[in-house]
Amino acid sequence: MPRPAMKTVRQQQLIDATLISVERYGLHHTTINTISGLAGLSSGLISHYFGGKQGLIEATLKYLLDELKQALLSRILGKNLSAAERLSMIVESNFTEFQRSTAATKTWLSFWSQAVHDPGLARLQHINSQRLYSNLAFAFKQLMPDDVAINAAKQTAAMIDGFWLRSALSSCPEKEFEQAQILCKAFIEAVIMQHGENKCR
C-alpha cells in the first residue's frame, strides 16, 4: 500500500491538533499557535494548506462529518441488510467510540454554537442534518407509507441528535451514550411495529 503524501499527513496532523486544542481550550481560545504547537508543525502550514484558521476549522468539521459517513458505510456496504437492520446501523454510526470521545463531543458542541453565527459552519451542519434524515427516510420508506416514513425519519433524527446532545453534556456520558442507543433503537422498533405492515405494495 503506498504511503500517503506528506501534504495529506500534515493536514491530518493539523486536524487532529485542532480537535485536541478545542477539547483543551474551547473553540474561542483555539488559535493558530495552539494548533501548530500541538501538531509540532510550523504555524505557516495552516495558511498554506487551509488558508488560515477558519479554513482549518471547517476542514475539521468536514473530517467529523466524514467519520460519520464512513462509520455507516463500514456497517452497510456489501451486506444484505433489511431496512430495519439498516436503521439500527444508522443509530450505531452516530454513537461510535470516536463520536463519543471527549475531543469529538467538545468539538461538535463548539461547532454547533458557532454555526449560529458562521455561514460556512452552518452550511456543513445543514449537510449533516440532511444526510441523517435522508438515510433514515430511505429505510423507513421501505417499511411504511411515505408520509408516515417521513415523520418517522424526522422524529428519529431528532431523537438521535437530542440524545447525543444530552449524553455529551452529561456528567456520566459513557453510560448515557449507551442508553441513548438503546432508546433510539427501541423507538424505531415501536414505529415499525405500529406502521410497518401498512406499506402499500
Side-chain angles (χ1 to χ4, degrees):
M1 180 179 296
R3 292 184 179 181
M6 185 56 67
K7 175 183 177 181
T8 302
V9 171
R10 287 177 173 171
Q11 286 176 327
Q12 188 60 50
Q13 286 177 313
L14 290 167
I15 288 172
D16 291 341
T18 302
L19 288 168
I20 297 171
S21 182
V22 174
E23 176 186 357
R24 293 183 182 178
Y25 312 116
L27 184 58
H28 182 69
H29 295 291
T30 286
T31 65
I32 287 176
N33 288 335
T34 63
I35 296 168
S36 60
L38 288 166
L41 298 171
S42 167
S43 59
L45 289 176
I46 295 176
S47 296
H48 178 69
Y49 290 134
F50 301 100
K53 175 188 170 183
Q54 186 59 29
L56 177 53
I57 293 297
E58 291 189 14
T60 303
L61 180 52
K62 289 177 182 177
Y63 171 69
L64 293 178
L65 293 174
D66 189 61
E67 285 292 310
L68 273 175
K69 178 181 177 180
Q70 294 304 320
L72 178 58
L73 290 177
S74 69
R75 285 167 168 77
I76 65 175
L77 285 182
K79 299 176 183 177
N80 186 24
L81 300 176
S82 67
E85 289 171 331
R86 186 184 179 94
L87 287 165
S88 182
M89 295 300 99
I90 294 172
V91 172
E92 289 184 12
S93 67
N94 279 270
F95 293 95
T96 61
E97 183 177 351
F98 174 76
Q99 297 296 343
R100 300 196 310 257
S101 68
T102 304
T105 55
K106 287 190 176 182
T107 302
W108 273 118
L109 292 172
S110 296
F111 283 154
W112 282 343
S113 64
Q114 190 64 25
V116 178
H117 310 285
D118 188 306
L121 296 181
R123 178 182 60 82
L124 292 173
Q125 176 53 32
H126 177 71
I127 291 172
N128 179 44
S129 296
Q130 285 300 112
R131 181 185 294 165
L132 174 59
Y133 165 73
S134 295
N135 284 330
L136 291 166
F138 175 80
F140 274 122
K141 285 180 179 180
Q142 297 176 52
L143 299 168
M144 58 195 68
D146 286 0
D147 58 336
V148 179
I150 289 171
N151 287 334
K154 290 179 179 178
Q155 290 174 313
T156 306
M159 289 191 72
I160 290 172
D161 287 342
F163 275 125
W164 189 96
L165 178 61
R166 289 173 65 92
S167 300
L169 295 173
S170 169
S171 59
C172 187
E174 190 61 33
K175 180 180 178 180
E176 293 296 325
F177 276 126
E178 293 298 332
Q179 183 88 22
Q181 289 190 76
I182 294 171
L183 292 172
C184 287
K185 289 182 178 181
F187 174 77
I188 290 171
E189 291 174 5
V191 171
I192 293 173
M193 287 183 65
Q194 182 178 0
H195 300 287
E197 296 181 359
N198 297 326
K199 176 67 178 176
C200 296
R201 299 296 179 183

PDB file of all heavy atoms in Angstrom, residues 133 137 140-141 144-155 191 195 198-200:
ATOM      1  N   TYR A 133     -31.263  12.615   7.965  1.00  0.00           N
ATOM      2  CA  TYR A 133     -32.678  12.500   7.631  1.00  0.00           C
ATOM      3  C   TYR A 133     -32.882  11.648   6.373  1.00  0.00           C
ATOM      4  O   TYR A 133     -33.755  10.766   6.343  1.00  0.00           O
ATOM      5  CB  TYR A 133     -33.288  13.886   7.430  1.00  0.00           C
ATOM      6  CG  TYR A 133     -34.625  13.847   6.736  1.00  0.00           C
ATOM      7  CD1 TYR A 133     -35.763  13.404   7.398  1.00  0.00           C
ATOM      8  CD2 TYR A 133     -34.735  14.213   5.390  1.00  0.00           C
ATOM      9  CE1 TYR A 133     -36.985  13.333   6.744  1.00  0.00           C
ATOM     10  CE2 TYR A 133     -35.947  14.145   4.737  1.00  0.00           C
ATOM     11  CZ  TYR A 133     -37.073  13.705   5.411  1.00  0.00           C
ATOM     12  OH  TYR A 133     -38.274  13.634   4.758  1.00  0.00           O
ATOM     13  N   ALA A 137     -35.023   8.264   6.163  1.00  0.00           N
ATOM     14  CA  ALA A 137     -36.222   8.254   5.329  1.00  0.00           C
ATOM     15  C   ALA A 137     -36.158   7.136   4.291  1.00  0.00           C
ATOM     16  O   ALA A 137     -37.160   6.458   4.024  1.00  0.00           O
ATOM     17  CB  ALA A 137     -36.407   9.608   4.648  1.00  0.00           C
ATOM     18  N   PHE A 140     -36.969   3.891   6.174  1.00  0.00           N
ATOM     19  CA  PHE A 140     -38.354   3.839   6.649  1.00  0.00           C
ATOM     20  C   PHE A 140     -39.341   3.673   5.489  1.00  0.00           C
ATOM     21  O   PHE A 140     -40.371   3.005   5.630  1.00  0.00           O
ATOM     22  CB  PHE A 140     -38.702   5.108   7.433  1.00  0.00           C
ATOM     23  CG  PHE A 140     -38.333   5.054   8.889  1.00  0.00           C
ATOM     24  CD1 PHE A 140     -37.474   5.999   9.435  1.00  0.00           C
ATOM     25  CD2 PHE A 140     -38.850   4.077   9.729  1.00  0.00           C
ATOM     26  CE1 PHE A 140     -37.139   5.966  10.783  1.00  0.00           C
ATOM     27  CE2 PHE A 140     -38.528   4.031  11.074  1.00  0.00           C
ATOM     28  CZ  PHE A 140     -37.662   4.977  11.605  1.00  0.00           C
ATOM     29  N   LYS A 141     -39.042   4.268   4.336  1.00  0.00           N
ATOM     30  CA  LYS A 141     -39.953   4.189   3.191  1.00  0.00           C
ATOM     31  C   LYS A 141     -40.070   2.777   2.636  1.00  0.00           C
ATOM     32  O   LYS A 141     -41.008   2.469   1.894  1.00  0.00           O
ATOM     33  CB  LYS A 141     -39.504   5.151   2.097  1.00  0.00           C
ATOM     34  CG  LYS A 141     -39.804   6.606   2.411  1.00  0.00           C
ATOM     35  CD  LYS A 141     -39.339   7.548   1.301  1.00  0.00           C
ATOM     36  CE  LYS A 141     -39.671   8.989   1.646  1.00  0.00           C
ATOM     37  NZ  LYS A 141     -39.225   9.933   0.584  1.00  0.00           N
ATOM     38  N   MET A 144     -43.042   1.381   5.326  1.00  0.00           N
ATOM     39  CA  MET A 144     -44.323   2.029   5.605  1.00  0.00           C
ATOM     40  C   MET A 144     -44.627   3.088   4.565  1.00  0.00           C
ATOM     41  O   MET A 144     -43.751   3.455   3.779  1.00  0.00           O
ATOM     42  CB  MET A 144     -44.288   2.626   7.016  1.00  0.00           C
ATOM     43  CG  MET A 144     -43.166   3.629   7.243  1.00  0.00           C
ATOM     44  SD  MET A 144     -42.876   3.994   9.000  1.00  0.00           S
ATOM     45  CE  MET A 144     -42.216   2.420   9.588  1.00  0.00           C
ATOM     46  N   PRO A 145     -45.853   3.596   4.519  1.00  0.00           N
ATOM     47  CA  PRO A 145     -46.202   4.643   3.556  1.00  0.00           C
ATOM     48  C   PRO A 145     -45.288   5.852   3.682  1.00  0.00           C
ATOM     49  O   PRO A 145     -44.787   6.167   4.771  1.00  0.00           O
ATOM     50  CB  PRO A 145     -47.648   4.990   3.931  1.00  0.00           C
ATOM     51  CG  PRO A 145     -48.174   3.751   4.592  1.00  0.00           C
ATOM     52  CD  PRO A 145     -47.008   3.173   5.332  1.00  0.00           C
ATOM     53  N   ASP A 146     -45.095   6.539   2.563  1.00  0.00           N
ATOM     54  CA  ASP A 146     -44.126   7.637   2.520  1.00  0.00           C
ATOM     55  C   ASP A 146     -44.396   8.720   3.553  1.00  0.00           C
ATOM     56  O   ASP A 146     -43.462   9.225   4.191  1.00  0.00           O
ATOM     57  CB  ASP A 146     -44.104   8.266   1.118  1.00  0.00           C
ATOM     58  CG  ASP A 146     -43.394   7.377   0.101  1.00  0.00           C
ATOM     59  OD1 ASP A 146     -42.929   6.287   0.489  1.00  0.00           O
ATOM     60  OD2 ASP A 146     -43.304   7.783  -1.060  1.00  0.00           O
ATOM     61  N   ASP A 147     -45.662   9.107   3.732  1.00  0.00           N
ATOM     62  CA  ASP A 147     -45.951  10.195   4.672  1.00  0.00           C
ATOM     63  C   ASP A 147     -45.620   9.794   6.104  1.00  0.00           C
ATOM     64  O   ASP A 147     -45.094  10.593   6.891  1.00  0.00           O
ATOM     65  CB  ASP A 147     -47.412  10.650   4.559  1.00  0.00           C
ATOM     66  CG  ASP A 147     -48.397   9.515   4.813  1.00  0.00           C
ATOM     67  OD1 ASP A 147     -48.026   8.339   4.627  1.00  0.00           O
ATOM     68  OD2 ASP A 147     -49.542   9.820   5.201  1.00  0.00           O
ATOM     69  N   VAL A 148     -45.884   8.549   6.446  1.00  0.00           N
ATOM     70  CA  VAL A 148     -45.553   8.044   7.782  1.00  0.00           C
ATOM     71  C   VAL A 148     -44.035   7.918   7.925  1.00  0.00           C
ATOM     72  O   VAL A 148     -43.464   8.248   8.974  1.00  0.00           O
ATOM     73  CB  VAL A 148     -46.224   6.679   8.029  1.00  0.00           C
ATOM     74  CG1 VAL A 148     -45.857   6.144   9.420  1.00  0.00           C
ATOM     75  CG2 VAL A 148     -47.731   6.800   7.898  1.00  0.00           C
ATOM     76  N   ALA A 149     -43.381   7.459   6.860  1.00  0.00           N
ATOM     77  CA  ALA A 149     -41.925   7.299   6.879  1.00  0.00           C
ATOM     78  C   ALA A 149     -41.214   8.625   7.076  1.00  0.00           C
ATOM     79  O   ALA A 149     -40.215   8.707   7.804  1.00  0.00           O
ATOM     80  CB  ALA A 149     -41.467   6.641   5.575  1.00  0.00           C
ATOM     81  N   ILE A 150     -41.720   9.663   6.426  1.00  0.00           N
ATOM     82  CA  ILE A 150     -41.107  10.993   6.560  1.00  0.00           C
ATOM     83  C   ILE A 150     -41.180  11.470   7.997  1.00  0.00           C
ATOM     84  O   ILE A 150     -40.200  11.978   8.562  1.00  0.00           O
ATOM     85  CB  ILE A 150     -41.793  11.984   5.602  1.00  0.00           C
ATOM     86  CG1 ILE A 150     -41.398  11.665   4.154  1.00  0.00           C
ATOM     87  CG2 ILE A 150     -41.418  13.419   5.952  1.00  0.00           C
ATOM     88  CD1 ILE A 150     -42.186  12.436   3.116  1.00  0.00           C
ATOM     89  N   ASN A 151     -42.349  11.308   8.615  1.00  0.00           N
ATOM     90  CA  ASN A 151     -42.492  11.718  10.019  1.00  0.00           C
ATOM     91  C   ASN A 151     -41.608  10.877  10.929  1.00  0.00           C
ATOM     92  O   ASN A 151     -40.988  11.392  11.868  1.00  0.00           O
ATOM     93  CB  ASN A 151     -43.953  11.594  10.455  1.00  0.00           C
ATOM     94  CG  ASN A 151     -44.832  12.670   9.862  1.00  0.00           C
ATOM     95  OD1 ASN A 151     -44.360  13.758   9.534  1.00  0.00           O
ATOM     96  ND2 ASN A 151     -46.115  12.375   9.697  1.00  0.00           N
ATOM     97  N   ALA A 152     -41.523   9.587  10.649  1.00  0.00           N
ATOM     98  CA  ALA A 152     -40.681   8.703  11.457  1.00  0.00           C
ATOM     99  C   ALA A 152     -39.216   9.098  11.346  1.00  0.00           C
ATOM    100  O   ALA A 152     -38.472   9.084  12.337  1.00  0.00           O
ATOM    101  CB  ALA A 152     -40.878   7.254  11.021  1.00  0.00           C
ATOM    102  N   ALA A 153     -38.791   9.465  10.134  1.00  0.00           N
ATOM    103  CA  ALA A 153     -37.399   9.878   9.919  1.00  0.00           C
ATOM    104  C   ALA A 153     -37.096  11.162  10.678  1.00  0.00           C
ATOM    105  O   ALA A 153     -36.036  11.288  11.303  1.00  0.00           O
ATOM    106  CB  ALA A 153     -37.131  10.064   8.432  1.00  0.00           C
ATOM    107  N   LYS A 154     -38.016  12.114  10.628  1.00  0.00           N
ATOM    108  CA  LYS A 154     -37.812  13.379  11.342  1.00  0.00           C
ATOM    109  C   LYS A 154     -37.742  13.146  12.848  1.00  0.00           C
ATOM    110  O   LYS A 154     -36.884  13.723  13.542  1.00  0.00           O
ATOM    111  CB  LYS A 154     -38.937  14.350  11.006  1.00  0.00           C
ATOM    112  CG  LYS A 154     -38.902  14.887   9.584  1.00  0.00           C
ATOM    113  CD  LYS A 154     -40.068  15.836   9.324  1.00  0.00           C
ATOM    114  CE  LYS A 154     -40.012  16.398   7.900  1.00  0.00           C
ATOM    115  NZ  LYS A 154     -41.169  17.296   7.622  1.00  0.00           N
ATOM    116  N   GLN A 155     -38.637  12.308  13.359  1.00  0.00           N
ATOM    117  CA  GLN A 155     -38.649  12.034  14.791  1.00  0.00           C
ATOM    118  C   GLN A 155     -37.384  11.298  15.227  1.00  0.00           C
ATOM    119  O   GLN A 155     -36.790  11.628  16.265  1.00  0.00           O
ATOM    120  CB  GLN A 155     -39.886  11.195  15.138  1.00  0.00           C
ATOM    121  CG  GLN A 155     -41.196  11.964  15.025  1.00  0.00           C
ATOM    122  CD  GLN A 155     -42.391  11.058  15.225  1.00  0.00           C
ATOM    123  OE1 GLN A 155     -42.471   9.971  14.645  1.00  0.00           O
ATOM    124  NE2 GLN A 155     -43.331  11.490  16.041  1.00  0.00           N
ATOM    125  N   VAL A 191     -42.042   2.071  16.117  1.00  0.00           N
ATOM    126  CA  VAL A 191     -42.630   2.663  14.914  1.00  0.00           C
ATOM    127  C   VAL A 191     -42.875   1.595  13.852  1.00  0.00           C
ATOM    128  O   VAL A 191     -43.931   1.582  13.196  1.00  0.00           O
ATOM    129  CB  VAL A 191     -41.710   3.770  14.352  1.00  0.00           C
ATOM    130  CG1 VAL A 191     -42.207   4.232  12.982  1.00  0.00           C
ATOM    131  CG2 VAL A 191     -41.657   4.955  15.303  1.00  0.00           C
ATOM    132  N   HIS A 195     -46.489   0.694  12.268  1.00  0.00           N
ATOM    133  CA  HIS A 195     -46.798   1.103  10.910  1.00  0.00           C
ATOM    134  C   HIS A 195     -46.215   0.196   9.831  1.00  0.00           C
ATOM    135  O   HIS A 195     -46.560   0.338   8.650  1.00  0.00           O
ATOM    136  CB  HIS A 195     -46.269   2.515  10.647  1.00  0.00           C
ATOM    137  CG  HIS A 195     -46.868   3.548  11.574  1.00  0.00           C
ATOM    138  ND1 HIS A 195     -48.156   3.987  11.454  1.00  0.00           N
ATOM    139  CD2 HIS A 195     -46.311   4.221  12.624  1.00  0.00           C
ATOM    140  CE1 HIS A 195     -48.395   4.895  12.402  1.00  0.00           C
ATOM    141  NE2 HIS A 195     -47.293   5.050  13.107  1.00  0.00           N
ATOM    142  N   ASN A 198     -48.300  -1.534   7.117  1.00  0.00           N
ATOM    143  CA  ASN A 198     -49.207  -0.721   6.329  1.00  0.00           C
ATOM    144  C   ASN A 198     -48.575  -0.237   5.029  1.00  0.00           C
ATOM    145  O   ASN A 198     -49.151   0.600   4.338  1.00  0.00           O
ATOM    146  CB  ASN A 198     -49.665   0.497   7.151  1.00  0.00           C
ATOM    147  CG  ASN A 198     -50.444   0.091   8.378  1.00  0.00           C
ATOM    148  OD1 ASN A 198     -51.166  -0.896   8.347  1.00  0.00           O
ATOM    149  ND2 ASN A 198     -50.277   0.845   9.453  1.00  0.00           N
ATOM    150  N   LYS A 199     -47.397  -0.738   4.712  1.00  0.00           N
ATOM    151  CA  LYS A 199     -46.720  -0.315   3.486  1.00  0.00           C
ATOM    152  C   LYS A 199     -47.517  -0.758   2.272  1.00  0.00           C
ATOM    153  O   LYS A 199     -47.863  -1.941   2.135  1.00  0.00           O
ATOM    154  CB  LYS A 199     -45.304  -0.905   3.435  1.00  0.00           C
ATOM    155  CG  LYS A 199     -44.553  -0.604   2.130  1.00  0.00           C
ATOM    156  CD  LYS A 199     -44.232   0.851   1.971  1.00  0.00           C
ATOM    157  CE  LYS A 199     -43.453   1.100   0.697  1.00  0.00           C
ATOM    158  NZ  LYS A 199     -43.191   2.516   0.462  1.00  0.00           N
ATOM    159  N   CYS A 200     -47.797   0.197   1.376  1.00  0.00           N
ATOM    160  CA  CYS A 200     -48.546  -0.133   0.171  1.00  0.00           C
ATOM    161  C   CYS A 200     -47.649  -0.908  -0.786  1.00  0.00           C
ATOM    162  O   CYS A 200     -46.512  -0.522  -1.011  1.00  0.00           O
ATOM    163  CB  CYS A 200     -49.055   1.149  -0.517  1.00  0.00           C
ATOM    164  SG  CYS A 200     -50.232   2.076   0.464  1.00  0.00           S
TER     165      CYS A 200
END
